[in-house]
Amino acid sequence: MRKVQLTMPESDQRFDEAMKTLRTNIQFSGADIRTIMMTSTEPNEGKSEITFHTALSFANTGKKVLLIDADIHKSVLTTRYHLDQEVDGLSQYLTGQKRAEEVIYSTNVENFDILFSGPYAPNPAELFESSLMRELLEEAAKHYDYVLVDTPPVGSLIEGAIIAQYCDGAILVIKSGAISYKRVQRVKRQVEKSGCRMLGAVLNMVNTSKGSYYNSYYYGDYDY
């Protein structure tokens, strides 16, 4: 397995505590909830950052975690965490160019492996419907305690709903004040139609700066 060096982003105590709470809530969802998709309604709601830090939080407790970047349209992981090397990824595996073991990377964080999105592909929905995606997740579940899948926003692209059918549970990241209740409920129903259990949501980027002791943003989670 090849290795990548990630530059860890700065975080604060309040953020770290919120991620620990999210991690704990996932664990209390049941021992059968191990392959989890993280999605949103629209782009730029912070789902990739939440997914990364959730995976990191699990790894820090000794759980073996695989983070799969399935947002082939708009991946941010390679730039956000300052990779200084070219990496192969999911799109190359799904098109038969690479084997699974060639696209999964270990990192400088113990217990934390990553499968990057790979080069942009013009037909991601068709790729995710292939048997290779199902086989990838089934095989990963045999080797990891948790598999977290960062999917495209379900509210704007169909790929997230396709991936949902292969996952044990889903978490919806919602940017505070940006998404209507009706749109969130529509996404929730779409995920559940796939047979995937909706575990809950993360309310992200709540501005608490006015009259607050804490930092400008709060990351929290709640159940439906």
Side-chain angles (χ1 to χ4, degrees):
M1 184 183 294
R2 290 179 288 178
K3 186 172 183 177
V4 292
Q5 186 80 16
L6 301 175
T7 301
M8 291 296 105
E10 293 184 4
S11 61
D12 55 54
Q13 184 176 359
R14 187 169 172 80
F15 178 87
D16 291 340
E17 287 301 317
M19 291 300 97
K20 290 177 183 178
T21 300
L22 176 57
R23 180 195 74 211
T24 300
N25 287 348
I26 292 172
Q27 291 175 308
F28 278 126
S29 295
D32 58 331
I33 305 298
R34 297 175 54 227
T35 301
I36 303 161
M37 65 174 283
M38 309 281 283
T39 192
S40 60
T41 303
E42 294 291 339
N44 304 315
E45 294 192 75
K47 66 173 176 59
S48 295
E49 183 176 16
I50 297 297
T51 306
F52 182 90
H53 282 277
T54 303
L56 184 63
S57 184
F58 273 118
N60 287 337
T61 66
K63 298 295 184 182
K64 190 167 178 58
V65 182
L66 174 64
L67 168 57
I68 299 178
D69 182 1
D71 197 345
I72 294 175
H73 284 279
K74 190 181 178 183
S75 172
V76 299
L77 288 180
T78 55
T79 54
R80 180 169 292 169
Y81 301 108
H82 309 292
L83 290 184
D84 57 359
Q85 65 190 84
E86 292 292 327
V87 292
D88 298 314
L90 182 61
S91 61
Q92 291 153 298
Y93 164 76
L94 293 176
T95 53
Q97 300 176 60
K98 299 285 183 179
R99 300 188 304 274
E101 57 268 27
E102 295 178 295
V103 294
I104 296 176
Y105 292 80
S106 64
T107 73
N108 50 307
V109 179
E110 189 175 1
N111 302 312
F112 188 2
D113 294 347
I114 293 184
L115 199 172
F116 294 97
S117 64
Y120 172 77
N123 57 339
E126 288 83 357
L127 294 179
F128 289 134
E129 287 177 333
S130 75
S131 60
L132 285 174
M133 188 66 189
R134 181 189 297 274
E135 291 168 7
L136 172 69
L137 293 177
E138 288 177 350
E139 192 64 26
K142 298 176 183 177
H143 300 283
Y144 293 90
D145 296 306
Y146 288 96
V147 179
L148 301 184
V149 188
D150 180 7
T151 79
V154 172
S156 56
L157 295 166
I158 192 61
E159 288 96 296
I162 295 172
I163 295 171
Q165 64 185 312
Y166 310 134
C167 297
D168 303 321
I171 293 173
L172 182 60
V173 177
I174 304 168
K175 183 178 179 180
S176 178
I179 307 297
S180 71
Y181 176 80
K182 287 184 178 180
R183 293 205 68 197
V184 169
Q185 290 299 309
R186 194 177 304 126
V187 167
K188 176 177 179 286
R189 288 193 296 271
Q190 189 171 2
V191 170
E192 290 175 335
K193 281 181 181 178
S194 71
C196 183
R197 174 183 167 189
M198 181 62 77
L199 303 178
V202 174
L203 187 61
N204 197 20
M205 302 182 193
V206 179
N207 193 333
T208 60
S209 59
K210 185 177 180 180
S212 174
Y213 170 81
Y214 297 103
N215 293 327
S216 298
Y217 295 99
Y218 171 69
Y219 299 78
D221 70 283
Y222 62 92
D223 289 329
Y224 285 109

